Amino acid sequence: MSTPAKIEHVEEEHSGHVTLYLPKGLNQWLGEHRASTGISYPGIVLNAISWAAAENRFAEIFAPADSPIPANDIFGRAPVIPRPARGSVEPETRPLRFRKDHMRVIISLARTWTADNRNAFFVGVLTAYRDQQNKE
């Protein structure tokens, strides 16, 4: 059963500047998707987050049913997500800039779904969005 997306108000200010650390294939897809659609990088990320929120896909993306840590854990821990070993592959960086009000929502969602790990939130949402886009 999925938990409805909860958006908490975030007190701290954020500049809106973010550097994503993406797996090479995801970073390549992001560049190709931007080139083929003309949508800005921040626009693609916001589309991915909106897509995940519209169908309440956050639990599906970030909280596997067999996780011993539930979504919205009272201690703020993220559900356990099996991660493949990264090995020696270095992630690629992509600097982005978001509006401050958009960052407040992103920070709140990352706090809920990835225990405040914004990069894990971006990678998870973008990966699911890419997979969905590739099906169409």
Side-chain angles (χ1 to χ4, degrees):
M1 174 162 191
S2 64
T3 305
K6 179 175 85 172
I7 299 175
E8 300 172 358
H9 293 288
V10 177
E11 297 300 323
E12 72 264 20
E13 278 297 313
H14 191 281
S15 68
H17 293 271
V18 176
T19 299
L20 302 185
Y21 298 89
L22 303 173
K24 185 176 182 174
L26 185 58
N27 196 33
Q28 181 178 351
W29 172 84
L30 190 60
E32 291 168 356
H33 192 66
R34 183 189 177 285
S36 69
T37 63
I39 301 170
S40 69
Y41 292 119
I44 294 169
V45 173
L46 295 177
N47 287 350
I49 295 169
S50 294
W51 166 81
E55 295 293 323
N56 200 21
R57 292 181 175 98
F58 294 119
E60 173 186 322
I61 295 168
F62 297 110
D66 60 348
S67 173
I69 300 174
N72 297 324
D73 178 65
I74 63 170
F75 298 105
R77 300 174 297 169
V80 176
I81 305 168
R83 297 257 184 246
R86 207 170 87 187
S88 62
V89 177
E90 288 298 314
E92 295 183 351
T93 60
R94 183 164 306 273
L96 299 178
R97 184 172 177 201
F98 295 96
R99 290 180 12 191
K100 287 182 182 182
D101 58 327
H102 292 166
M103 277 309 302
R104 285 188 201 100
V105 173
I106 290 167
I107 290 168
S108 175
L109 290 168
R111 180 167 292 147
T112 299
W113 293 105
T114 59
D116 239 357
N117 185 333
R118 285 193 308 262
N119 199 71
F121 179 76
F122 287 125
V123 170
V125 169
L126 282 170
T127 299
Y129 186 67
R130 174 195 62 191
D131 295 347
Q132 183 268 340
Q133 292 290 304
N134 288 341
K135 288 180 186 175
E136 293 181 352

